[in-house]
Amino acid sequence: MNLEDKNLEDLFKVADKVGKKRYHKLTHQDLEDYRKFDHWRYVNGSAECGTTQQSKDWVRNNSDWHCPVCGSRFADVGGRTIDHKLPRSQYPWLSLDFRNLWVICRSCNREKGEMHWYEYEHYLFIHYPDHYQDIQLFRPRQLLKSLKANQ
């Protein structure tokens, strides 16, 4: 299936179908990976960018000074957070897949919440059309293609 040729509504349907179908096939390894992510991110009580040196290093190496969504300086809007492009609640087996992670500001992370990537793109297109073109650069294309292969 070529995801590039699909419109936004069709992409929503594919993502929901794959997410729901795969969710019922979670393996023991999927749950172990999920626990590893929790340790990596939450150890010592940090709910955002973690406090392990590994997670701090990852955040530093995968972000600059500004949020890729709103363009605000992280220091001016409460700092950086690690976000899942495809939410952990729907895709827990992708919780530690680094293609699924990006660094955005706290405010944008709260606003995105548990939206699926295409739902988020649609939300930005409607509410922040000036940011839409930039956010498309962060679309997890390879990750979404891998979902189709795992149906």
Side-chain angles (χ1 to χ4, degrees):
M1 172 189 286
N2 185 355
L3 295 177
E4 304 295 329
D5 297 336
K6 296 228 174 264
N7 66 34
L8 194 59
E9 184 179 354
D10 290 338
L11 291 170
F12 275 121
K13 289 176 184 174
V14 169
D16 286 341
K17 179 181 173 187
V18 172
K20 289 175 184 166
K21 190 172 183 181
R22 176 70 166 89
Y23 195 86
H24 298 292
K25 295 180 180 178
L26 289 179
T27 67
H28 180 69
Q29 186 59 51
D30 292 330
L31 297 174
E32 284 297 315
D33 290 345
Y34 189 78
R35 281 191 212 111
K36 287 178 189 173
F37 173 78
D38 280 344
H39 173 74
W40 180 81
R41 185 172 172 201
Y42 293 116
V43 74
N44 296 324
S46 175
E48 301 301 339
C49 281
T51 54
T52 65
Q53 192 58 49
Q54 183 184 15
S55 63
K56 287 179 183 178
D57 292 344
W58 187 87
V59 167
R60 188 174 44 256
N61 293 334
N62 288 279
S63 65
D64 58 17
W65 301 106
H66 296 84
C67 176
V69 179
C70 67
S72 298
R73 278 183 44 92
F74 288 122
D76 297 338
V77 291
R80 302 180 266 206
T81 63
I82 298 170
D83 181 57
H84 291 85
K85 295 175 183 180
L86 301 178
R88 290 183 298 154
S89 60
Q90 294 176 21
Y91 303 90
W93 63 93
L94 298 175
S95 61
L96 198 52
D97 187 324
F98 288 95
R99 299 173 296 175
N100 193 31
L101 303 177
W102 66 330
V103 180
I104 61 177
C105 74
R106 291 180 195 281
S107 177
C108 288
N109 195 343
R110 272 194 292 274
E111 193 169 2
K112 179 180 173 285
E114 293 294 318
M115 285 186 227
H116 187 282
W117 184 262
Y118 290 116
E119 185 179 7
Y120 186 54
E121 277 193 28
H122 183 256
Y123 175 83
L124 289 173
F125 181 74
I126 300 299
H127 297 282
Y128 305 101
D130 295 344
H131 298 291
Y132 182 69
Q133 192 170 14
D134 293 333
I135 214 62
Q136 285 183 306
L137 299 173
F138 294 93
R139 183 182 285 170
R141 285 183 172 85
Q142 293 301 326
L143 188 61
L144 291 165
K145 287 179 184 178
S146 76
L147 290 179
K148 178 64 178 161
N150 289 324
Q151 278 197 71

